[in-house]
């Protein structure tokens, strides 16, 4: 609300870099040269994809909010690795959702009078809310937590860079937005950055 989509894409793309830092401080994961190169390549890719749009530098409060969001998301993703493995991703996601409900409910109740319940009955509105709640939030968090259990935190964070690729592609597919050469170049850089860390190591012969 306090910034624009382009600023959001750029600031939230710092999440993997913060994850590498937190993974080093909390989990003692090594910051390898390959991980550093991967983050740099993927970050350049994001900047190329969203860098052509005009960004209003006066949106300072919105930028600060987005930066705090990137920091807290990074910390959460790293702390997931500290959860004992006998707890499934479903259990972790369920507890996180319950905490969110407890914290957000007082703020939600105080603003119920602002809702347009007649508009909420439109299929496109409640259908969008169902998609947001079930697919984007519940399934998204479940798969994210599962992925973090299978990869180390700093490598898993690189998949965050696929967000602007999917967003730009869906904007072209569903909204008719223009996609230029910069999208292709940025996408290639992001894919290279991610492949560097998920490619299995070659076995050495004795």
């Amino acid at each position: 609300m306090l910034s624009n989509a382009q600023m959001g894409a750029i600031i939230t793309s710092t999440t993997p870099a913060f994850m590498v830092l937190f993974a080093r401080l909390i989990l003692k994961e090594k910051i390898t040269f390959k991980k550093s190169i991967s983050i740099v390549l993927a970050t350049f890719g994001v900047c190329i994809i969203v860098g052509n749009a005009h960004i209003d530098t006066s949106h300072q409060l919105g930028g600060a909010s987005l930066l705090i969001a990137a920091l807290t998301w990074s910390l959460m993703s790293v702390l997931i690795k500290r959860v004992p493995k006998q707890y499934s991703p479903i259990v972790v996601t369920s507890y996180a959702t319950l905490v969110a409900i407890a914290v957000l409910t007082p703020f939600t109740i105080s603003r119920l009078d602002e809702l347009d319940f007649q508009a909420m009955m439109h299929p496109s509105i409640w259908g969008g809310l169902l998609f947001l709640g079930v697919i984007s939030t519940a399934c998204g968090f479940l798969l994210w937590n599962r992925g973090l259990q299978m990869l180390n935190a700093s490598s898993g964070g690189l998949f965050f860079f696929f967000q602007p690729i999917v967003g730009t592609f869906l904007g072209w597919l569903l909204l008719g937005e223009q996609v230029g050469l910069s999208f292709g170049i940025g996408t290639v850089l992001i894919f290279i950055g991610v492949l560097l860390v998920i490619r299995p190591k070659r076995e050495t012969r004795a």
Side-chain angles (χ1 to χ4, degrees):
M1 292 173 60
L2 300 176
S3 64
N4 54 37
Q6 289 76 29
M7 181 182 288
I10 290 176
I11 294 179
T12 55
S13 69
T14 62
T15 297
F18 289 131
M19 286 182 65
V20 171
L21 178 61
F22 285 134
R24 175 59 182 167
L25 296 175
I26 298 174
L27 305 177
K28 308 303 180 185
E29 292 183 5
K30 293 183 178 180
I31 303 178
T32 64
F33 177 75
K34 187 165 67 172
K35 287 180 182 178
S36 301
I37 293 297
S38 299
I39 291 174
V40 171
L41 286 174
T43 301
F44 272 123
V46 171
C47 291
I48 290 173
I49 290 175
V50 302
N52 291 331
H54 174 70
I55 296 178
D56 189 352
T57 55
S58 65
H59 295 157
Q60 295 180 353
L61 184 58
S65 300
L66 289 167
L67 183 60
I68 293 173
L71 282 166
T72 54
W73 179 275
S74 304
L75 183 59
M76 177 274 295
S77 299
V78 171
L79 290 177
I80 288 292
K81 297 289 292 184
R82 301 294 296 270
V83 177
K85 290 187 177 181
Q86 63 262 31
Y87 296 102
S88 70
I90 294 179
V91 173
V92 174
T93 305
S94 299
Y95 275 111
T97 303
L98 289 174
V99 172
I101 291 173
V103 173
L104 292 176
T105 296
F107 298 97
T108 305
I109 292 176
S110 66
R111 303 187 66 174
L112 283 178
D113 57 337
E114 300 178 16
L115 288 177
D116 186 347
F117 287 99
Q118 186 175 358
M120 294 284 290
M121 298 304 295
H122 194 279
S124 63
I125 302 298
W126 59 258
L129 289 174
L130 279 176
F131 182 86
L132 177 64
V134 177
I135 305 299
S136 301
T137 303
C139 294
F141 267 100
L142 181 64
L143 293 172
W144 178 259
N145 292 336
R146 176 59 176 165
L148 288 176
Q149 287 184 346
M150 300 176 69
L151 291 171
N152 60 51
S154 54
S155 297
L158 284 169
F159 286 87
F160 205 86
F161 285 116
F162 285 111
Q163 180 175 280
I165 295 178
V166 176
T168 304
F169 174 75
L170 291 177
W172 168 78
L173 182 66
L174 302 177
L175 303 177
E177 296 180 354
Q178 296 297 317
V179 175
L181 179 61
S182 60
F183 175 72
I185 296 173
T187 299
V188 170
L189 289 175
I190 292 173
F191 270 104
I192 292 174
V194 174
L195 288 174
L196 279 176
V197 297
I198 66 173
R199 187 178 59 180
K201 297 179 179 179
R202 295 180 179 177
E203 295 183 359
T204 56
R205 294 181 178 180

